[in-house]
Amino acid sequence: MIENFVSDADALRELAVSGVRPAPDSGLYPGMRAPAPAVYRAALLATLSRLAREVFDIDTPARPTLESYCSMVATPPQKLLPAQRIPHFDMPKQSDLAVMHYLCDERHGGTSFYRHRSSGYEYVDEQRMPGYFKTLEDEAASQGLPEPAAYICGDTALFERVHSVAARWNRLLVYRTSSLHSGDIRPDYDFDMNPMTGRFTIASFWRSGL
């Protein structure tokens, strides 16, 4: 974690929401996204290249890539797909990093990390992925889908929460893209879509190319 990542987070939020047209994510993110400002991506890229080497012991390539998206959760629980009701990993690469930059406070929920009970996995890489998905399919067939439809926000029959990080204004959270995790969207979450008052975050993905 890095606290107070940027010197003027209010200005960053203003810049991020000015002139953008958020759209529903084309993947499994349950909400709206729009590209983050280029100046932000440049600053974050330099930071992540240093952290990759010093903290995560990842060799920094000459030209890593970075994607950053302004994000707001928007999908009500009853409309969640089964895959959106359980922890997920972003990419099965131990050499890639994910980032959550909170431009909101603890009222909107942070991020939790999970262990899949039957496999013991806390991360899923390329080697583990086929077996992990097969186990999930078997568990869904024998135990049914998570019901009622809801965001995961703590222990369940299939997953154990092993660590939780609270949202905090201008806090940066960095973790490997292979980690099983989920946003803490509580049952009483009000889906405030005003970026000035709701759960506004910038999600980024640093790819080493290794």
Side-chain angles (χ1 to χ4, degrees), residues 6-165:
V6 297
S7 59
D8 192 341
D10 287 296
L12 171 60
R13 184 172 59 180
E14 291 281 357
L15 176 63
V17 302
S18 63
V20 301
R21 293 185 178 180
D25 184 61
S26 58
L28 286 175
Y29 178 74
M32 309 293 285
R33 280 187 160 168
V39 64
Y40 174 84
R41 297 197 304 272
L44 183 59
L45 181 60
T47 297
L48 291 178
S49 295
R50 175 179 59 82
L51 290 179
R53 181 178 63 254
E54 297 178 0
V55 177
F56 293 91
D57 196 27
I58 300 171
D59 291 332
T60 305
R63 297 181 66 85
T65 60
L66 180 71
E67 298 176 16
S68 294
Y69 303 96
C70 303
S71 308
M72 295 196 75
V73 174
T75 305
Q78 63 271 22
K79 293 187 177 181
L80 291 173
L81 299 172
Q84 294 172 318
R85 306 179 206 171
I86 61 174
H88 67 280
F89 60 93
D90 297 309
M91 288 168 282
K93 297 283 289 185
Q94 289 282 74
S95 58
D96 293 348
L97 300 176
V99 182
M100 181 64 65
H101 189 182
Y102 300 103
L103 295 176
C104 59
D105 60 31
E106 62 277 2
R107 294 173 299 169
H108 301 288
T111 300
S112 287
F113 297 86
Y114 289 86
R115 176 185 299 118
H116 181 231
R117 293 184 187 273
S118 63
S119 67
Y121 291 168
E122 295 180 12
Y123 71 89
V124 178
D125 59 12
E126 292 171 316
Q127 183 177 0
R128 290 179 169 184
M129 189 164 58
Y132 174 70
F133 284 147
K134 177 62 167 59
T135 300
L136 286 182
E137 290 175 1
D138 293 343
E139 289 174 337
S142 62
Q143 302 181 40
L145 299 174
E147 294 291 350
Y151 290 90
I152 187 170
C153 194
D155 292 350
T156 68
L158 299 185
F159 293 92
E160 175 188 3
R161 180 160 60 183
V162 295
H163 187 64
S164 186
V165 177

